[in-house]
Amino acid sequence: MGQLIGLLVPIAVLSIPITAIVLSYKQKTQKNKLREMELQKEILKLEIEKQNRTIELLEKENKKLDRIMDL
């Protein structure tokens, strides 16, 4: 039994830094994922804005053509 405890102590001592490294890696991975999602959200916002401007331009062009056709 004394040998078992003698083995468990070094294993427990070694597991603390390993656990810290794993948790640190997970945290960095999660931060990177979050940043990626934020950038994707920004890209989607810009794409929507671009589409809205295209719609506005098409509507203006349509009004212009309607005026020409009414003449």
Side-chain angles (χ1 to χ4, degrees), residues 40-53:
Q40 287 175 344
K41 179 182 174 183
E42 189 63 29
I43 289 169
L44 289 173
K45 280 184 181 180
L46 292 171
E47 286 178 0
I48 289 170
E49 191 175 316
K50 179 182 173 187
Q51 289 177 356
N52 285 340
R53 288 185 180 163

Side-chain angles (χ1 to χ4, degrees), residues 5-71:
I5 292 175
L7 287 174
L8 289 177
V9 171
I11 291 173
V13 170
L14 288 175
S15 69
I16 293 171
I18 292 170
T19 302
I21 291 168
V22 169
L23 290 176
S24 174
Y25 174 77
K26 279 185 139 188
Q27 183 181 20
K28 286 180 184 179
T29 302
Q30 287 175 345
K31 283 183 181 180
N32 288 340
K33 254 188 178 174
L34 180 61
R35 179 68 179 141
E36 181 182 342
M37 290 173 76
E38 288 171 346
L39 291 172
Q40 287 175 344
K41 179 182 174 183
E42 189 63 29
I43 289 169
L44 289 173
K45 280 184 181 180
L46 292 171
E47 286 178 0
I48 289 170
E49 191 175 316
K50 179 182 173 187
Q51 289 177 356
N52 285 340
R53 288 185 180 163
T54 301
I55 289 170
E56 286 176 19
L57 289 173
L58 289 171
E59 286 175 345
K60 285 181 184 180
E61 184 67 23
N62 190 32
K63 284 181 186 179
K64 191 165 127 180
L65 291 173
D66 281 347
R67 276 188 252 127
I68 291 172
M69 288 177 63
D70 287 340
L71 293 177

